Amino acid sequence: MSRSAHPAGPRHADVLPEGHYSAPPADLNALDPKVWAETVTRDEHGVLTVGGIDVKRLAEEFGTPAYFLDEQDFRARARAWRTAFGGDADVFYAGKAFLSRAVVRWLDEEGLNLDVCSGGELATALSAGMPAERIAFHGNNKSVAEIRRAVEAGVGRIVLDSFQEIVRVAHVAQELGRRQRVQIRITVGVEAHTHEFIATAHEDQKFGIPLAGGQAAEAVRRALGLDGIELIGIHSHIGSQIFDMSGFEVAAHRVVGLLEDIRDEHGVELPEIDLGGGLGIAYTSDDDPREPHEIAKALTEIVTRECAAARLTTPRISVEPGRAVVGPTAFTLYEVGTVKPLEGLRTYVSVDGGMSDNIRTALYDAEYSVVLASRVSDAEPVLCRVVGKHCESGDIVVKDAFLPGDLAPGDLIAVPATGAYCRSMASNYNHVLRPPVVAVRDGEARAIVRRETEEDLLRLDVG
Ligand SMILES: *Cc1c(COP(=O)(O)O)cnc(C)c1O
């Protein structure tokens, strides 16, 4: 299997050497608040609890593996983003990180807007009552049926991703007698991950219309000439799991440069600028993400400064955090099935899930941490690799982690920061059933996405 040092992973392979877990943490039972949801703690027996309920009880009621999501923490993070950006900006939660109807209702109640990027995500959002005008529709290849549905529903904006789509959306809207508000997604030649970014002249990727070579300016020209659409702004999304704001600085500079050109050429000042998502979270204690208020301050300052320099009225800013809202709010609970010490190498700990509930380690070389959850232990730390039950040697959940030496089958272990891109990327590989997402709050737990059953699987298999 070829492993890429991928942008969406927490860090480039060349930033930290392989196997940098040289020393075990001082206390294996400790819970670093950076990686755990707000209400997670250990009770007087040492059992991990969330929202006031211990994981042994949760495992009994909901089984393992399962994702447990701290609703109070989710709402607090959503609110922190909303408050940080204030009334002059919009926060769109990126639904692809994790979407369910309960989540849509929480977002609605907390005043966030919502990004969707498929008919399925749009259907979920609408069925949970998210007002259509607060939905943005993304994607590099929306079908005509999806576009029609979005326009009919009255979504607040469609983010155009290609020349074909400019015409397609304008045509559908006109047919329906609408004027659809749109943004154009451009690529500004900035690719940002974690602690560094690359600024190039060209963008070799499928998303967006390149600023280079005057292509974005041409897209704007065409959009402004079509009756079915109203161009309200420019969109840029530069990467994922970003800690360093300087990539946004270069991106904003280039986007504002385009706004300036648009003003000079067409005499219009577009009222909105969307800087995308990609803000990083802590997967392990090594990660130091910024708080929403710091990010809001930095981004607002950058855009304001760039616009002042270009003598443009500062447009309304929007951002699209996904991971940074939901990622830290959930952990995955697994039951240990086998423990296999390999002399001189490490101990392989097999759990009852794996790459079907968390593909990020296999896909992006992502890093996670893990703790023994059903009890505390003062046994010596042992270097472990937490692996799943799939027929694939790359089926790794946590590549390097220290766990207590007395870890045994039947123990429950918990992997934090699995709220984003785990359930939403889950698969049925090996016909494994996808785990439930259980929301826990104030001593109550309820499945907001139930566990898949064999009946669910067989229903699709029509023989
Ligand atoms: C994926 C994506 C996001 C969200 O990214 P996060 O890393 O989850 O914050 C936001 N906007 C766009 C356009 C995206 O593709």
Side-chain angles (χ1 to χ4, degrees), residues 325-343:
V325 176
V326 71
T329 67
F331 63 83
T332 313
L333 190 68
Y334 299 103
E335 186 178 308
V336 174
T338 68
V339 178
K340 192 186 285 183
L342 296 187
E343 203 57 49

Side-chain angles (χ1 to χ4, degrees), residues 94 96-97 115 138 185 207 235 237 239-241 276-279 320-324 420-421:
K96 70 179 194 219
D115 271 358
H138 276 273
R185 177 165 175 177
F207 290 112
H235 182 284
H237 172 77
S240 58
Q241 185 60 4
L279 291 316
E320 305 175 322
R323 185 194 317 267
Y421 304 107

Side-chain angles (χ1 to χ4, degrees), residues 3 18 346 361 365-366 384-386 396-401:
R3 285 274 190 72
E18 278 253 14
R346 68 182 84 244
T361 306
D365 249 337
C384 293
R385 177 162 290 172
V386 178
I396 297 168
V397 180
V398 187
K399 207 163 138 206
D400 300 298

Side-chain angles (χ1 to χ4, degrees), residues 96-128:
K96 70 179 194 219
F98 172 65
L99 196 64
S100 79
R101 288 192 276 195
V103 160
V104 174
R105 283 191 284 270
W106 301 341
L107 293 165
D108 186 9
E109 286 165 16
E110 301 300 340
L112 269 69
N113 297 351
L114 177 63
D115 271 358
V116 298
C117 63
S118 72
E121 287 184 0
L122 178 61
T124 304
L126 292 173
S127 83

